[in-house]
Amino acid sequence: PHRPGAGVQARGHAAITRLRLVSSSYDYTVAALSDCEGGLTCTMEVARAHFTAASITPVDSFEAGADLVRSGAVESLIVPGAYPLLASFIMDPLLVARDVFLGPIVPLVLARAPESELAAPKTVYLHGATEALVPEAGLPPDIQRLHCVSNTEACRRAASDRESVAITNQPSASHFQMKVLKVLRVAINMPWILFSAAGTGQVRGK
């Protein structure tokens, strides 16, 4: 019998907890949200840690990844449970949620460009999945919120805007040499959903 927590495995940057007994040694293609910096997104961190035998295809949005799955160019797409538009994939008649697992994400932080000394920033750059952290970040309630396709893009844009801050992840903040103002979350467990094309059968594993 399966015991709670018995599926924890240390792989790369993350420990993965399986929600059901499906092999994590996938040998097919998985689309994962990435960036031009070489994979600083939370999604790519988890994908590299979990899909150790898969070929990972970087995409610049989850929607672009879904298009690749529908067309048959890749076999699966990984999406975090916190993504605000997750339901659009769940309800898509051409996609099927094939697998779910828990994987901790890297720390989420509030950061700004090191040369910025603004007491009250005018803008916050963020991914939609982190918008719930705005009040906790101590930002003005009327601050302009500019949504980005990834935590990396949020950090990149804030790095060149001295009147702004970013809610981003720690690897991106470090890459862009941002000053971390506050750590908002540390290694929280995120549910990850693996989507494949409808009618293709169960995902393959070794």
Side-chain angles (χ1 to χ4, degrees), residues 75-138:
E75 294 176 85
S76 292
L77 165 69
I78 178 177
V79 183
Y83 185 51
L85 301 180
L86 175 64
S88 66
F89 302 132
I90 295 174
M91 299 300 175
D92 191 321
L94 300 180
L95 299 175
V96 175
R98 294 293 189 190
D99 194 12
V100 181
F101 62 91
L102 292 178
I105 62 174
V106 293
L108 299 175
V109 300
L110 177 69
R112 64 166 172 78
E115 63 272 18
S116 174
E117 298 296 339
L118 275 181
K122 298 179 179 179
T123 304
V124 56
Y125 295 99
L126 74 167
H127 185 264
T130 64
E131 187 155 14
L133 298 176
V134 171
E136 186 177 331

Side-chain angles (χ1 to χ4, degrees), residues 26-52:
Y26 298 114
D27 59 357
Y28 54 89
T29 51
V30 178
L33 181 68
S34 189
D35 48 58
C36 59
E37 280 72 30
L40 300 174
T41 64
C42 297
T43 303
M44 186 57 76
E45 288 274 341
V46 168
R48 283 192 296 244
H50 188 67
F51 301 111
T52 55

Side-chain angles (χ1 to χ4, degrees), residues 185-198:
R185 291 290 185 276
V186 178
I188 59 172
N189 250 351
M190 177 71 68
W192 299 88
I193 300 91
L194 194 67
F195 291 92
S196 58

